[in-house]
């Protein structure tokens, strides 16, 4: 089977993914795009100085746009009559609305995706949104209804749907019109996960870390965390896509290796990316290190490399994207704290209980940062967590959120941060 997909960035053709005999892939930049003013790469792993990029980097990039959930991929494969291990075939069916500005379209769909007058939005009432969330809870692969024309793909293991929100109404867009919000219902695995993620994102913002805006919404009894997409921006002419990629894609690492202990990127690799490409490297490195600290303080154990992303703008300008997919494991009693590990090591350690001043000093050295300055910053953030967590709790209660996990989360995160802060103060003599 051979074929091609056209890559669009905000309505401009930038290149094509070719599937050759034997299933090998390549991505070829369009020469007009390569020479255009303000052009930027599809991925930092595919610099425009090189016109053609080979199978490994192209396939890693495509897999990075798809869910890293085998059950979801398997159901999609059945639905579209393709192999669950064929990234090209899967993206061909769902790639018209992806993370970032990219759209992957079949040649026969190109005209429809470029013409503004062919845009269709299927508007939904509250009952219809609830119906979608209810179905998604029972079938994690049901990201869209069978009758929908608009398709999308997002990375991650959690079931989710993406919709357009405009003038107080939800809709399913297609063609050039992008989705603007991500809705994630609870799966039953973690009680109160929507409130947990909303709490942790709000806490991160209060601690000064740029983070995605979120809310917890209810649709006829169906609960979802609603994430405002930072890779979408409203203009006078409507919404536009903003390009981004996660740090695995930027380093041509497939999602199967997103965890550092499985060979994925860790703090050193990501800081090196920021130091090489960021337009505000010191600011972005500081924000990334703050995120590492906060994930230690709240026991955010799933902050792997796919949960950090880079915004890519005109001329290739790069910035660290806002934080997203942040949650604490502390409210859940079924997990043994003594065994809990972070997704990225601090110094030489992954296990929460083994991380202290020595490990933060070692990390500072690995990142070419001032160790004493970093330790003071860790203590500062630890000291602030209890008050900021209490503020987040009060804000959530004022929003009408009453899930029992909120109080438990606030207390356990605060207690953990205070223990971490006391440990460091003893070690550094504060």
């Amino acid at each position: 089977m051979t074929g091609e997909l056209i890559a669009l960035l905000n309505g401009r053709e930038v290149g094509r993914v070719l599937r050759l005999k034997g299933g090998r892939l390549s991505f070829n930049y369009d020469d007009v795009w390569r020479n255009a003013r303000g052009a930027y790469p599809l991925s930092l792993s595919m610099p425009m100085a090189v016109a053609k990029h080979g199978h490994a980097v192209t396939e890693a990039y495509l897999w990075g746009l798809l869910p890293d959930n085998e059950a979801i991929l398997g159901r999609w494969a059945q639905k579209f009559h393709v192999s669950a291990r064929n990234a090209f075939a899967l993206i061909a069916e769902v790639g018209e609305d992806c993370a970032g500005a990219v759209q992957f379209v079949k040649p026969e769909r190109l005209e429809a995706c470029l013409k503004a007058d062919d845009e269709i939005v299927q508007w939904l009432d509250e009952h219809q949104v609830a119906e979608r969330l209810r179905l998604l809870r029972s079938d994690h692969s049901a990201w869209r209804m069978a009758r929908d024309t608009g398709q999308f793909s997002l990375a991650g293991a959690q079931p989710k749907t993406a919709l357009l929100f405009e003038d107080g109404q939800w809709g399913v867009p297609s063609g050039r019109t992008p989705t603007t919000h991500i809705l994630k219902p609870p799966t039953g695995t973690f009680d109160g996960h929507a409130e947990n993620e909303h709490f942790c994102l709000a806490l991160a913002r209060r601690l000064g870390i740029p983070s995605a805006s979120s809310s917890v919404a209810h649709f006829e009894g169906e609960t979802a965390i609603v994430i405002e997409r930072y890779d979408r921006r409203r203009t006078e002419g409507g919404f536009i896509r903003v390009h981004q990629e996660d740090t695995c894609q930027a380093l041509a690492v497939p999602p199967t290796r997103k965890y550092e202990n499985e060979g994925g990127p860790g703090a050193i690799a990501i800081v090196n990316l920021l130091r090489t490409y960021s337009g505000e490297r010191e600011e972005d490195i500081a924000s990334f290190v703050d995120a590492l600290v906060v994930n230690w303080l709240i026991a955010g154990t799933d902050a792997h490399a796919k949960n950090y992303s880079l915004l890519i703008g005109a001329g290739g300008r790069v910035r660290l994207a806002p934080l997203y997919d942040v949650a604490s494991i502390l409210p859940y009693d079924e997990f043994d704290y003594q065994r809990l590990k972070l997704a990225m090591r601090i110094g030489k350690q992954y296990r929460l209980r083994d991380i202290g001043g020595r490990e933060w000093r070692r990390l500072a050295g690995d990142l070419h940062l001032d160790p004493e300055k970093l330790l003071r910053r860790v203590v500062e953030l630890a000291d602030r967590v209890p008050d900021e967590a209490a503020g987040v709790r009060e804000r959530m209660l004022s929003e009408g959120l009453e899930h029992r996990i909120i109080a438990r989360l606030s207390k356990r995160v605060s207690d953990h941060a205070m223990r971490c802060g006391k440990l460091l103060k003893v070690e550094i003599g504060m």
Side-chain angles (χ1 to χ4, degrees):
M1 173 186 172
T2 60
E4 66 177 357
L5 292 174
I6 301 167
L8 304 176
L9 290 173
N10 276 318
R12 296 187 63 177
E13 181 176 341
V14 301
R16 300 196 175 205
V17 178
L18 304 180
R19 190 172 192 271
L20 311 174
K21 290 183 178 179
R24 304 289 292 179
L25 302 178
S26 72
F27 177 74
N28 300 347
Y29 277 110
D30 181 84
D31 285 338
V32 175
W33 175 255
R34 289 178 70 211
N35 295 302
R37 183 176 181 180
Y40 49 91
L42 179 65
S43 168
L44 297 183
S45 65
M46 302 181 206
M48 290 190 299
V50 179
K52 297 181 180 181
H53 295 272
H55 176 81
V57 64
T58 304
E59 186 178 50
Y61 181 80
L62 294 183
W63 277 123
L65 297 171
L66 289 162
D68 40 325
N69 181 308
E70 294 297 329
I72 293 173
L73 293 176
R75 293 294 295 274
W76 283 11
Q78 291 179 340
K79 176 181 179 180
F80 300 125
H81 305 289
V82 300
S83 168
R85 303 313 307 157
N86 188 335
F88 177 92
L90 289 167
I91 283 291
E93 301 296 336
V94 299
E96 290 189 9
D97 191 58
C98 298
V102 68
Q103 295 177 273
F104 285 103
V105 304
K106 299 175 183 178
E108 63 268 25
R109 285 282 301 157
L110 179 60
E111 184 177 356
C113 288
L114 292 179
K115 290 176 64 176
D117 56 0
D118 281 352
E119 294 176 14
I120 299 172
V121 177
Q122 177 189 345
W123 295 108
L124 308 173
D125 59 26
E126 182 178 347
H127 173 74
Q128 290 169 318
V129 176
E131 181 184 25
R132 287 165 182 265
L133 294 173
R134 194 174 298 114
L135 177 61
L136 191 54
R137 280 197 298 106
S138 62
D139 177 3
H140 293 179
S141 69
W143 293 24
R144 278 283 186 263
M145 295 287 198
R147 61 181 177 272
D148 292 346
T149 56
Q151 293 291 343
F152 76 97
S153 180
L154 289 169
Q158 289 179 264
K160 64 197 73 171
T161 190
L163 298 172
L164 170 69
F165 187 71
E166 188 171 20
D167 297 329
Q169 192 171 7
W170 295 99
V172 180
S174 61
R176 293 201 321 177
T177 302
T179 58
T180 59
H181 290 72
I182 299 166
L183 289 75
K184 296 191 288 188
T187 62
T189 305
F190 296 104
D191 185 38
H193 191 272
E195 289 83 0
N196 187 335
E197 185 174 346
H198 180 49
F199 181 102
C200 292
L201 285 170
L203 178 60
R205 283 195 301 275
R206 289 177 74 113
L207 292 171
I209 304 172
S211 305
S213 297
S214 65
S215 62
V216 175
H218 302 281
F219 302 89
E220 292 189 347
E222 291 293 323
T223 300
I225 181 169
V226 179
I227 311 292
E228 184 178 346
R229 299 190 65 157
Y230 61 76
D231 59 346
R232 304 292 185 256
R233 188 170 69 244
R234 189 179 192 107
T235 67
E236 290 184 0
F239 292 99
I240 63 170
R241 296 172 167 91
V242 177
H243 199 41
Q244 70 116 61
E245 64 175 342
D246 65 55
T247 58
C248 278
Q249 290 174 299
L251 293 164
V253 174
T256 50
R257 292 196 287 118
K258 63 186 178 182
Y259 291 101
E260 186 177 7
N261 66 355
E262 296 178 342
I268 297 172
I270 293 174
V271 166
N272 285 341
L273 264 179
L274 294 172
R275 199 164 269 139
T276 301
Y277 294 105
S278 173
E280 297 290 345
R281 61 190 66 179
E282 298 306 319
E283 181 180 335
D284 283 346
I285 290 170
S287 292
F288 172 71
V289 173
D290 279 355
L292 293 177
V293 174
V294 169
N295 275 302
W296 178 56
L297 296 175
I298 70 169
T301 54
D302 204 40
H304 49 71
K306 285 190 68 61
N307 283 342
Y308 294 100
S309 287
L310 306 170
L311 296 168
I312 304 175
R317 179 178 171 82
V318 173
R319 292 298 309 272
L320 181 69
L323 200 59
Y324 56 95
D325 281 359
V326 187
S328 171
I329 202 71
L330 293 175
Y332 307 109
D333 293 330
E334 59 266 38
F335 295 94
D336 181 359
Y337 177 81
Q338 300 302 317
R339 297 184 178 185
L340 291 177
K341 295 180 180 181
L342 294 177
M344 292 185 187
R345 61 185 170 89
I346 305 300
K348 297 293 185 182
Q349 301 294 335
Y350 290 96
R351 193 154 27 190
L352 283 170
R353 70 173 192 181
D354 295 332
I355 297 170
R358 179 181 178 183
E359 286 67 39
W360 286 107
R361 280 196 179 94
R362 186 190 293 271
L363 179 67
D366 291 341
L367 302 182
H368 306 292
L369 302 174
D370 182 335
E372 300 310 314
K373 183 177 179 181
L374 175 55
L375 280 170
R376 289 194 298 271
R377 179 60 174 165
V378 178
V379 170
E380 176 193 345
L381 289 171
D383 285 346
R384 289 180 56 194
V385 165
D387 285 344
E388 300 296 357
V392 173
R393 177 187 176 185
E394 292 304 313
R395 175 68 181 272
M396 291 180 71
L397 292 175
S398 73
E399 294 171 351
L401 302 177
E402 299 176 344
H403 197 288
R404 60 184 179 274
I405 203 172
I406 298 170
R408 189 191 319 161
L409 183 59
S410 179
K411 183 178 187 330
R412 293 189 180 183
V413 163
S414 298
D415 289 348
H416 184 254
M418 286 191 289
R419 285 197 301 271
C420 292
K422 288 179 181 178
L423 170 68
L424 290 187
K425 288 175 184 178
V426 169
E427 291 190 18
I428 65 180
M430 287 183 65

